[in-house]
């Protein structure tokens, strides 16, 4: 059996719901909330990194070519990156399917 | 065994916290708690404890600061009154949900409006469901002893919950009483250094105050409730130990001349002493009167209350707060609910008294007992003494 995602019974809850395993919040994939996704047009991107700085989820990272992309496991589709991008390189498009 | 001194109760309560060697105090001054805040500040400034005093910008920050400090493993103290307590309300369930052994002194005061700085219980009663152990002091000695006991209760591994020690504003906080202040060595013997269950430390990362999804939230709430319900066992053990070491007895529900009583008063806080004098007066008039005092409000002492009320035919419950549009004062509705399944239970009258510092004298308690005994109550609850 794999590790339980949460305690089965109230008796198993750690006092104060403390979590003793660091980084466990990364297992919670907030990307499932997303209604729109950011799409980069790298012909307009000047690699300034504002999207990376402003992303409240911290899910935007720089790739090998110096462009930026979001980790879709965590991107909630808030659109802050598109709003902040002053060259208009990021568009929010509807999720489909 | 300690030293008997004449001291203002607010200062004595702060002295009690100092005897517990608190390490962080974060307090915002508000009448009638201000002397607690000032004296804690003096104690830190004079180097009498190895502690930091955080001058916060408000009560929400005061409690938030001690939550943070407690999470790092510090023994902490805060204090407030009235609107300040309500302002803390937003973080109070967080302190208990995180199972942090914070101790808070509350100098009870009415809440606005109209604005009123005097004493009643309308600040503490709305905090009933925030998950804090809540203990009512009746006099200065109670206040001192209960603050010291509070740390021992809160820090017990089977409890790990914050504790409020309430004392009536002005009626207690600003009164100079003869109080036995325990010696430092005695308190050190009673209260070992705080050994936290877990602490926030960069070298050993853990998460406190986490997100709880619908899949875990009800289990977390049940675990917190069980901890609070079960804390009564530890509270009684601590009080037993206190009696052995210091010779002063504490009970969740105290009684006065109830053994053969037919009618009893029920009080919380400082009015218990006035009510005792009223019971003596009624006994002189051949009324078989007694007094029941609830000292432990949360967890509610159901069994102790039932035992205390054995044989009582009529009970006059006094409330110092209003549950507007509700079934009666908060103490009344809880007491009545506690007795619902009993085959034999007293008739209960509810008098709402002493709102916003309105004086309640011996004669008033005598009148309440007589009126309750005669069953002359037109309403389920009565604003006693209100004109009109």
């Amino acid at each position: 059996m794999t590790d339980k995602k949460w305690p089965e019974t109230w008796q198993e809850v750690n006092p104060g719901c403390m979590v003793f395993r660091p980084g466990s919040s990364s297992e919670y994939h907030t990307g499932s909330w997303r209604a729109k996704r950011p799409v980069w047009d790298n012909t307009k991107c000047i690699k300034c990194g504002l999207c990376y700085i402003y992303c409240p989820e911290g899910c935007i990272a720089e790739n090998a070519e110096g462009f930026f992309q979001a980790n879709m496991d965590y991107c909630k589709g808030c659109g802050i990156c598109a709003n902040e991008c002053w060259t208009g390189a990021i568009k929010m498009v509807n999720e489909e399917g | 065994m300690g030293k008997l001194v004449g001291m203002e109760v607010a200062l004595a309560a702060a002295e009690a916290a100092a005897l517990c060697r608190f390490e962080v105090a974060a307090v915002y001054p508000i009448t009638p708690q201000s002397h607690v805040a000032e004296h804690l500040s003096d104690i830190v400034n004079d180097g009498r404890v190895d502690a930091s005093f955080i001058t916060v910008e408000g009560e929400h920050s005061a409690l938030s600061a001690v939550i943070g400090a407690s999470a790092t493993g510090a023994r902490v103290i805060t204090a407030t009154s009235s609107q300040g307590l309500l302002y803390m309300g937003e973080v109070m369930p967080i302190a208990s949900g995180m199972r942090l052994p914070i101790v808070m002194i509350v100098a009870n005061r009415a809440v606005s409006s109209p604005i009123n700085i005097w004493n009643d219980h309308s600040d503490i009663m709305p905090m009933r469901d925030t998950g804090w152990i809540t203990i009512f002091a009746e006099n200065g000695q109670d206040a001192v002893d209960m603050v010291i006991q509070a740390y021992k209760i809160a820090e017990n591994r089977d409890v790990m919950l914050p504790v409020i020690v309430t004392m009536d504003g002005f009626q207690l906080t600003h009164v100079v009483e003869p109080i036995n202040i325990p010696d430092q060595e005695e308190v050190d013997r009673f209260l070992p250094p705080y050994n936290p269950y877990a602490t926030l430390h960069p070298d050993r990362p853990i998460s406190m105050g986490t997100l709880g999804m619908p899949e875990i939230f009800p289990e977390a709430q049940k675990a917190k409730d069980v901890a609070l319900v079960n804390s009564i066992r530890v509270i009684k053990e601590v009080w037993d130990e206190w009696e052995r070491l210091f010779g002063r007895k504490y009970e969740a529900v105290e009684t006065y001349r109830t053994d053969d009583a037919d009618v009893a008063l029920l009080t919380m806080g400082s009015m218990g002493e006035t009510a005792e004098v009223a019971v003596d007066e009624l006994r002189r008039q051949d009324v078989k009167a007694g007094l029941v005092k609830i000292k432990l409000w949360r967890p509610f002492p159901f069994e102790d209350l039932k035992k205390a009320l054995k044989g009582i035919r009529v009970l006059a419950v006094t409330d110092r707060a209003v549950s507007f549009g509700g079934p009666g004062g908060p103490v009344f509705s809880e007491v009545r609910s506690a007795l619902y399944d009993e085959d034999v239970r007293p008739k209960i009258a509810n008098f709402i008294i002493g709102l916003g510092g309105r004086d309640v004298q011996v004669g008033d308690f005598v009148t309440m007992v007589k009126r309750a005994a005669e069953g002359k109550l037109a309403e389920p609850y009565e604003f006693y003494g209100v004109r009109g």
Side-chain angles (χ1 to χ4, degrees):
Chain A
M1 201 175 135
T2 53
D3 275 355
K4 279 184 280 192
K5 228 173 154 184
W6 45 71
E8 202 63 43
T9 64
W10 67 264
Q11 291 93 338
E12 293 171 49
V13 176
N14 285 335
C17 277
M18 291 177 204
V19 177
F20 294 98
R21 192 162 48 87
S24 61
S25 60
S26 64
E27 291 163 24
Y28 181 37
H29 289 178
T30 49
S32 63
W33 305 4
R34 194 174 55 243
K36 290 185 177 217
R37 63 164 59 218
V39 176
W40 274 258
D41 176 355
N42 286 346
T43 63
K44 291 185 185 169
C45 176
I46 59 164
K47 302 180 177 177
C48 69
L50 278 184
C51 55
Y52 159 79
I53 289 166
Y54 276 97
C55 175
E57 197 62 22
C59 74
I60 295 175
E62 194 178 358
N63 64 20
E65 290 84 46
F67 293 112
F68 290 85
Q69 59 195 53
N71 182 333
M72 288 298 143
D73 282 348
Y74 304 110
C75 172
K76 295 169 176 168
C78 69
I80 288 174
C81 54
N83 189 62
E84 295 298 334
C85 179
W86 57 284
T87 66
I90 306 172
K91 290 269 176 301
M92 299 302 293
V93 301
N94 285 336
E95 288 286 356
E96 282 172 39
Chain B
M1 287 293 280
K3 201 167 114 192
L4 194 66
V5 293
M7 192 182 281
E8 190 189 295
V9 173
L11 308 191
E15 287 292 328
L19 285 168
C20 297
R21 303 180 186 276
F22 69 86
E23 293 163 301
V24 174
V27 192
Y28 192 81
I30 179 171
T31 300
Q33 159 267 35
S34 302
H35 292 182
V36 179
E38 290 165 12
H39 200 57
L40 286 170
S41 172
D42 281 347
I43 288 165
V44 174
N45 181 63
D46 295 347
R48 292 176 48 207
V49 288
D50 183 13
S52 301
F53 187 98
I54 307 174
T55 49
V56 285
E57 69 273 45
E59 291 85 357
H60 190 280
S61 302
L63 184 53
S64 298
V66 293
I67 285 173
S70 182
T72 68
R75 184 174 279 164
V76 301
I77 181 85
T78 187
T80 191
S81 283
S82 185
Q83 309 300 131
L85 185 61
L86 266 58
Y87 190 28
M88 282 184 178
E90 196 262 341
V91 258
M92 284 186 61
I94 298 175
S96 55
M98 289 171 69
R99 305 289 297 277
L100 296 171
I102 294 161
V103 173
M104 167 148 67
I105 295 166
V106 174
N108 294 128
R109 162 186 153 183
V111 297
S112 301
S113 93
I115 195 165
N116 178 294
I117 60 166
W118 294 275
N119 166 235
D120 69 25
H121 295 164
S122 56
D123 53 356
I124 189 66
M125 286 302 162
M127 298 303 142
R128 187 188 65 174
D129 298 336
T130 56
W132 287 55
I133 292 170
T134 308
I135 302 171
F136 276 70
E138 184 180 347
N139 52 46
Q141 190 67 59
D142 276 9
V144 165
D145 292 354
M146 285 170 171
V147 165
I148 302 168
Q149 294 157 2
Y151 284 101
K152 182 112 174 181
I153 294 164
E155 293 171 5
N156 186 294
R157 284 288 170 84
D158 292 335
V159 177
M160 298 203 298
L161 284 166
V163 179
I164 290 172
V165 177
T166 77
M167 52 203 72
D168 288 338
F170 295 114
Q171 265 96 335
L172 281 188
T173 54
H174 287 54
V175 169
V176 176
E177 288 188 15
I179 301 171
N180 185 299
I181 306 283
D183 297 332
Q184 185 66 63
E185 303 74 48
E186 290 176 313
V187 175
D188 288 344
R189 257 200 311 280
F190 172 76
L191 182 72
Y194 176 35
N195 176 21
Y197 171 78
T199 58
L200 290 181
H201 192 284
D203 295 342
R204 299 178 302 277
I206 65 166
S207 299
M208 292 188 188
T210 51
L211 174 73
M213 304 287 282
E215 292 83 353
I216 185 61
F217 192 81
E219 281 72 21
Q221 298 305 92
K222 162 98 180 173
K224 176 172 159 179
D225 183 54
V226 169
L228 194 58
V229 169
N230 289 346
S231 70
I232 197 165
R233 181 184 59 78
V234 172
I235 294 166
K236 288 179 176 181
E237 282 171 11
V238 167
W239 280 343
D240 286 346
E241 186 186 353
W242 186 269
E243 189 184 358
R244 282 199 305 279
L245 291 175
F246 296 93
R248 291 187 290 277
K249 186 180 174 68
Y250 286 90
E251 293 174 294
V253 178
E254 278 186 20
T255 56
Y256 180 72
R257 301 187 80 164
T258 51
D259 282 352
D260 62 339
D262 175 58
V263 53
L265 273 164
L266 189 146
T267 61
M268 285 171 73
S270 65
M271 283 191 180
E273 299 202 332
T274 313
E276 278 188 11
V277 179
V279 166
D280 292 343
E281 172 61 28
L282 285 156
R283 289 275 175 170
R284 272 194 292 277
Q285 300 177 21
D286 289 328
V287 178
K288 282 190 169 179
L291 171 65
V292 176
K293 298 183 275 194
I294 296 180
K295 295 250 172 145
L296 181 64
W297 177 236
R298 278 294 180 277
F300 192 85
F302 293 97
E303 295 312 314
D304 305 76
L305 182 73
K306 287 176 197 168
K307 208 173 128 211
L309 294 177
K310 277 259 158 33
I312 303 292
R313 185 178 59 85
V314 180
L315 180 67
V317 174
T318 62
D319 261 287
R320 308 209 45 211
V322 186
S323 174
F324 295 99
V331 182
F332 166 71
S333 57
E334 297 229 346
V335 167
R336 195 163 61 160
S337 169
L339 300 173
Y340 183 79
D341 287 327
E342 298 300 293
D343 294 331
V344 182
R345 56 193 179 204
K347 184 92 188 136
I348 310 181
N350 187 202
F351 295 100
I352 293 170
I353 60 170
L355 297 181
R358 178 71 64 87
D359 199 17
V360 183
Q361 301 189 351
V362 172
D364 296 315
F365 284 115
V366 168
T367 303
M368 282 180 244
V369 167
K370 287 183 174 173
R371 296 243 321 271
E374 290 164 11
K376 284 184 190 162
L377 285 168
E379 307 159 273
Y381 58 96
E382 176 184 324
F383 286 80
Y384 177 84
V386 166
R387 296 183 298 272

